[in-house]
Amino acid sequence: MAGHVLHDYVRRLSAGRDRYPGPEFGSDETLPAFLARTNEDFVRTARQISPRLLIDLLAHLGAQLDVEWSGREMDGPAGVDVAWAAPGLDAPAWLDVAREYSELWVHQQQIRDAVGRPGATAPRLLHPVLDTFLRALPQTLRRTPSPWARRFAYGCPVPPAAGGPPHAVPTAGRWTTAILRPRRQAQARAPARTLRWAPTPTRTRRW
């Protein structure tokens, strides 16, 4: 897993910062197949790297990646699409960075679980991950009817401080996303399908 994360660092710095072309697609190779192949090739080679050196490389390249991302105009174009949120569109840079953050957070959790360390569940770390995953709902629900009278709440075990569970809200014939503020049961009417939280949209985005 650490070798896979190192591959992500190398790939993003080489392509994004240095504009260096990476491996070419194989004949009729799909994007998932391409990513799986190139990642496996790198991880196989990374097995020759000692744990100490692997940690050093992650620290060294991770800091460079932080600098690269901090210098980007977050509302500008990313230059790539984020297929699970906006296929075929040039996503904003903040969504591209959020995608990478959420992936790295998941891999860190896997490593933490493997070594018995507490999860990175502080609100400032967890909430951006949930907010990013929420962007997939409109694309996922694109073929699902969205009558005005219904709201679907996708409940998950999310602490209130991290924003509560994500919701998808039908708006003008399409699905958009909303982060909903929890309310007391005595003051709120539950949506059509929910676990705990009543819908009180605080902000809505189309991504």
Side-chain angles (χ1 to χ4, degrees):
M1 184 59 65
H4 169 61
V5 173
L6 180 62
H7 180 225
D8 282 345
Y9 286 5
V10 170
R11 177 177 54 84
R12 291 304 303 242
L13 284 169
S14 294
R17 184 192 65 185
D18 303 335
R19 301 294 189 267
Y20 189 80
E24 295 183 356
F25 277 74
S27 178
D28 298 325
E29 189 174 36
T30 64
L31 177 59
F34 169 80
L35 294 175
R37 174 177 62 84
T38 54
N39 178 69
E40 178 59 29
D41 289 346
F42 189 96
V43 170
R44 187 182 299 111
T45 301
R47 292 192 178 103
Q48 304 175 58
I49 302 175
S50 69
R52 177 178 177 179
L53 180 56
L54 186 59
I55 292 171
D56 288 346
L57 289 171
L58 288 170
H60 179 64
L61 296 181
Q64 294 186 45
L65 194 56
D66 287 343
V67 172
E68 165 66 14
W69 281 338
S70 66
R72 298 181 68 178
E73 175 55 53
M74 288 297 154
D75 289 327
V80 297
D81 69 356
V82 180
W84 48 259
L89 299 178
D90 192 1
W94 65 261
L95 185 59
D96 179 38
V97 174
R99 169 181 57 183
E100 293 298 312
Y101 173 76
S102 63
E103 179 184 353
L104 294 174
W105 184 91
V106 168
H107 293 329
Q108 184 179 121
Q109 290 299 105
Q110 292 167 332
I111 294 173
R112 285 171 177 265
D113 287 345
V115 298
R117 297 289 296 274
T121 55
R124 69 181 183 87
L125 301 175
L126 177 58
H127 186 273
V129 177
L130 300 175
D131 186 84
T132 303
F133 289 160
L134 178 59
R135 310 298 160 187
L137 285 179
Q139 173 66 10
T140 302
L141 298 174
R142 65 191 182 281
R143 294 187 179 91
T144 303
S146 56
W148 281 96
R150 300 179 66 189
R151 287 181 180 177
F152 291 87
Y154 290 80
C156 56
V158 180
H167 289 64
V169 182
T171 305
R174 63 176 294 176
W175 289 97
T176 56
T177 58
I179 295 176
L180 307 185
R181 180 185 301 117
R183 297 176 61 187
R184 294 181 180 177
Q185 293 293 332
Q187 298 176 344
R189 177 180 300 175
R193 291 172 54 191
T194 187
L195 291 183
R196 298 176 184 172
W197 306 94
T200 306
T202 57
R203 62 181 184 273
T204 302
R205 296 176 181 167
R206 293 186 177 182
W207 288 99

